[in-house]
Amino acid sequence: MLKINTGSAVPVYEQLKRQIRLGIVSGEYPEGHRMPSIRQLAAQLTINPNTIAKVYRQLETDGFLNSRSGSGFFVKLEKEHLSKTRKVLLSEIADEFISSAVQLGFTPEELIKTLSIKLERNPKNDKTK
Amino acid sequence: MIKLSNVTCGYGKNPVQSDISLDINEGEVVMITGPNGVGKSTLLKVLANILYPTAGTIEYGWPGTKDPRQLIGYLPDSLSIYKSMKVKDLAELHWGAFKVKPSPLPLLKEASIDWNSRIKDLSLGQKTIFHLSLILSTNPKLILIDEILHSVDPHLRNLALQTLVETMADTKPTVVMVNLNYNEVEHLIERVIFLTKDGILLNEKTEYLLENAKLLIAETPPGSANVLATRKNNGRKEHLVLPGEGEQMKLSDILTMLMGSTYQSQ
């Protein structure tokens, strides 16, 4: 379910684009999945329909969606594109992490140390399973 | 395009606003905001073509239209007319006046409004929803909404906004709203017109504001910064600069800060 974080200074256009991209890469929206119509999503989120249209068109240009005239936007998946995008997303997450930590005055060593401790403790990361 | 050229408007001898020039593009969603008593509703009445400017002109750019009011859906800030009429009679009267075919009004059921109720027995919220449904049913090219939606409870207000958004997607009308709750409409509006008693203080696209309006924390802002508003927050001075360097801001924050500054300067 797509949501807008109203407290965020990140523009809704950007928020939506990122969420849909994440949904596609994570498999939440599988190949051929029909995206909600512009009208439906705009009404649900009280967002200008033009903004939704802009997001869909951008995702189409970026190779995540296909538009079929009259019937809407559908998820498009290409393996190579997908793996490349996963790397881009990881890099973006890392950038965000680094910039907030730097803002708080932590050193690179402290970041690496915290990250490795967290990874060790994260049950999802247990390779023995 | 709707074009206001050097419009002066008001009642009696004292104009509420003078020399207002304004262009509103076809299909654009605009919010007029500003402090109380500066003439926002009056300006909306001029746009609705029910109050004529005492000087200046308004053009709608709808060739072949004799009476622009046929293409305008106007939701005023008070709806006390036709108290003793029934909902269905008023709907038929409205459709007759606008020369449109009767159509279902889906919002009525959601707002528990009975087709046979008398207008005077409806709550203010129900009256507003009814009026909005009627307006949307005539397929207007221009939708004008005054502050009235404040009187509708959150559930119905959300429903009203959703219906408005659906209409925007379906028929792409031009929409001008006055002073709605910033948080509720900040992702709907494409342009903001900030009105003060001295005229238009700001007339900018939302996109431009979000990109260029910044919150600067400094005792004295640099001389190059264009400061629109200043406030004290926890002992530090915050400035709204446009354009300038500083923290990114949400539209509702920009407008709230601007609103605050108009009160300080009085």
Side-chain angles (χ1 to χ4, degrees), chain A residues 55-104:
Chain A
V55 169
Y56 280 0
R57 276 201 303 271
Q58 185 58 49
L59 286 166
E60 190 182 14
T61 310
D62 294 346
F64 293 101
L65 297 177
N66 255 337
S67 70
R68 291 177 212 159
S69 65
S71 58
F73 287 83
F74 297 83
V75 174
K76 173 172 129 184
L77 284 186
E78 284 161 17
K79 268 203 179 139
E80 203 178 308
H81 188 211
L82 198 66
S83 68
K84 210 171 91 189
T85 309
R86 287 187 68 225
K87 283 177 198 152
V88 172
L89 285 181
L90 181 61
S91 160
E92 282 178 11
I93 295 167
D95 285 343
E96 267 171 46
F97 169 67
I98 292 168
S99 78
S100 359
V102 165
Q103 209 179 356
L104 292 170

Side-chain angles (χ1 to χ4, degrees), chain A residues 27-43:
Chain A
E28 192 190 337
Y29 304 133
E31 163 95 67
H33 174 84
R34 185 195 186 144
M35 295 307 292
S37 72
I38 291 171
R39 179 185 200 267
Q40 193 187 344
L41 194 55

Side-chain angles (χ1 to χ4, degrees), chain B residues 97-112:
Chain B
F98 277 79
K99 300 188 183 74
V100 296
K101 279 184 193 149
S103 56
L105 301 176
L107 278 176
L108 296 200
K109 204 177 154 201
E110 310 254 14
S112 310

Side-chain angles (χ1 to χ4, degrees), chain B residues 13 16-17 22 51-53 63 79 82 98 115 117 134 168 171 175 195 200 204-205 257:
Chain B
K13 271 185 189 169
V16 184
Q17 282 290 342
L22 189 62
L51 180 73
Y52 297 116
L79 309 165
Y82 308 129
F98 277 79
W115 204 229
S117 312
L134 264 186
M168 280 161 55
T171 57
V175 182
L195 202 63
I200 296 174
E204 292 290 357
K205 290 205 170 212
M257 202 162 158

